[in-house]
Amino acid sequence: MSSARESEHIISARETLDTLYDISQLLNTKLDKETLATCVQMIESGVNPQALAAVIQELRREGAALQSS
């Protein structure tokens, strides 16, 4: 891949992540940009999005339970 194409690809990926982050903020997902990027990478690698969402929700419930005890 040429340097110009690599730069275009990186810029496009950043813009896409920025847009996804804006949407996640509007939906109040409470995911930071790094976590969102990790989730996107996992989904692109074949992880079921619904299963990933269920795991995140369960981890948040467990975290809240630990904080309250």
Side-chain angles (χ1 to χ4, degrees), residues 9-60:
H9 181 71
I10 290 170
I11 290 169
S12 177
R14 282 188 184 146
E15 289 174 351
T16 300
L17 183 59
D18 288 342
T19 301
L20 287 172
Y21 181 72
D22 290 343
I23 293 168
S24 77
Q25 292 298 100
L26 290 171
L27 296 172
N28 198 26
T29 64
K30 298 182 180 138
L31 295 175
D32 61 38
K33 217 176 226 187
E34 182 180 348
T35 303
L36 182 62
T38 300
C39 290
V40 169
Q41 289 173 343
M42 292 174 71
I43 292 167
E44 287 176 343
S45 296
V47 172
N48 181 314
Q50 291 176 328
L52 180 58
V55 168
I56 291 170
Q57 289 174 338
E58 182 62 26
L59 288 171
R60 285 184 174 164

